[in-house]
Amino acid sequence: MSEAVVIRASLGERVRQCHTVYSKTGLEEMPLLFYDSALPAPNPRRVRIFLAEKHVRVPMAQISIPKAEHKAEAFLSVNALGQTPALAFDDGRVLTESVAICRYFELLHPEPPMFGHGAHNIAEIDMWTRRIELRLMTPLSMVWLHTHPWTARIVQPQYTDFGESQRPRVLAAMAEFDHALDGRDWLDGERYTIADIVLLTTIDFAKFVGIAMPDELAHLKAWHARASARPSASA
């Protein structure tokens, strides 16, 4: 099935068409369709890694960011924000936001517990996830939106000076996570979780944007090597 056919069909029909395709590949039939975007997009990758850790496969359709398909009218009918990922159901409901989508699959497939176990551990993982998104991803997104040539045709005007001013904030946040990982294999001190997935995809996206981890952040670099060595990292 071509991407064009998937995009043109109605939401419910897209899901039914993908059922037909994926049933032939041995996938469990599911009344949903995951709208994905390939690298370097960090947010869809979060979900792919999460699903790989859960050993769950779902029907997927690719939305090309370089071709601006996420801003095309057809996809805007799925997610009016023009962003991937999105998880569409055959009854017309749509979930967006990567962590929310992961939470949905966590409830369906609770093992291994990627959002934590027990009150304190669950809260701690939520804390780390929020810190990554607010303290690291927020300034990184400003660098991406206002300085990168890929975004120039969509973000108009680009405030280049403002974007460049956010680079030190990205590096400062990386140093914070380096400190947090001193003596820890993973952010919660116990196991690989959604917080590590969010950090991995953000750090890798930072490299694409042009902000690599400084060599002196030894704890962060060792953590990154561990996370990148997991089979799910290539999902």
Side-chain angles (χ1 to χ4, degrees):
M1 184 197 318
S2 70
E3 290 183 9
V5 171
V6 173
I7 292 297
R8 284 199 300 266
S10 67
L11 179 57
E13 184 60 25
R14 279 197 295 272
V15 176
R16 287 190 290 274
Q17 288 173 351
C18 279
H19 283 173
T20 301
V21 172
Y22 278 82
S23 65
K24 296 178 181 178
T25 65
L27 278 178
E28 176 185 357
E29 183 166 325
M30 295 182 177
L32 52 81
L33 176 61
F34 178 67
Y35 287 89
D36 185 26
S37 293
L39 295 175
N43 293 331
R45 186 182 175 217
R46 293 178 181 180
V47 181
R48 294 198 306 274
I49 293 175
F50 185 88
L51 292 174
E53 290 285 338
K54 294 284 188 178
H55 302 288
V56 172
R57 298 175 65 202
V58 302
M60 296 188 182
Q62 279 292 318
I63 302 298
S64 172
I65 291 177
K67 295 179 181 177
E69 289 180 352
H70 59 308
K71 300 300 182 182
E73 183 177 351
F75 183 70
L76 292 175
S77 69
V78 177
N79 182 5
L81 296 178
Q83 298 172 341
T84 57
L87 186 66
F89 297 81
D90 63 356
D91 62 4
R93 293 177 299 166
V94 178
L95 283 176
T96 63
E97 307 304 334
S98 59
V99 174
I101 293 170
C102 290
R103 283 190 180 276
Y104 172 81
F105 285 111
E106 175 85 350
L107 291 172
L108 293 180
H109 306 276
E111 295 297 332
M114 301 295 291
F115 279 85
H117 60 90
H120 186 276
N121 186 242
I122 290 172
E124 185 177 19
I125 290 168
D126 279 350
M127 175 190 76
W128 286 120
T129 302
R130 188 157 176 80
R131 284 188 184 180
I132 297 161
E133 293 190 320
L134 291 177
R135 300 188 64 78
L136 179 58
M137 189 62 184
T138 295
L140 177 60
S141 66
M142 295 299 101
V143 177
W144 162 246
L145 290 173
H146 291 287
T147 71
H148 203 277
W150 277 33
T151 60
R153 67 183 185 279
I154 295 173
V155 180
Q156 297 181 0
Q158 282 186 315
Y159 296 101
T160 306
D161 289 345
F162 169 70
E164 292 295 343
S165 75
Q166 299 302 294
R167 290 181 186 270
R169 291 186 60 198
V170 174
L171 294 171
M174 287 183 181
E176 292 173 10
F177 289 107
D178 177 74
H179 178 74
L181 286 161
D182 184 2
R184 292 186 171 199
D185 285 346
W186 308 113
L187 279 171
D188 79 334
E190 293 187 30
R191 59 177 59 83
Y192 186 79
T193 70
I194 184 64
D196 297 288
I197 293 174
V198 174
L199 185 57
L200 175 65
T201 54
T202 305
I203 292 291
D204 287 347
F205 184 60
K207 182 178 180 180
F208 173 80
V209 173
I211 311 176
M213 289 181 291
D215 289 336
E216 62 267 24
L217 302 185
H219 307 305
L220 184 63
K221 290 180 77 71
W223 165 89
H224 184 266
R226 287 191 294 274
S228 298
R230 298 178 72 87
S232 63
S234 62

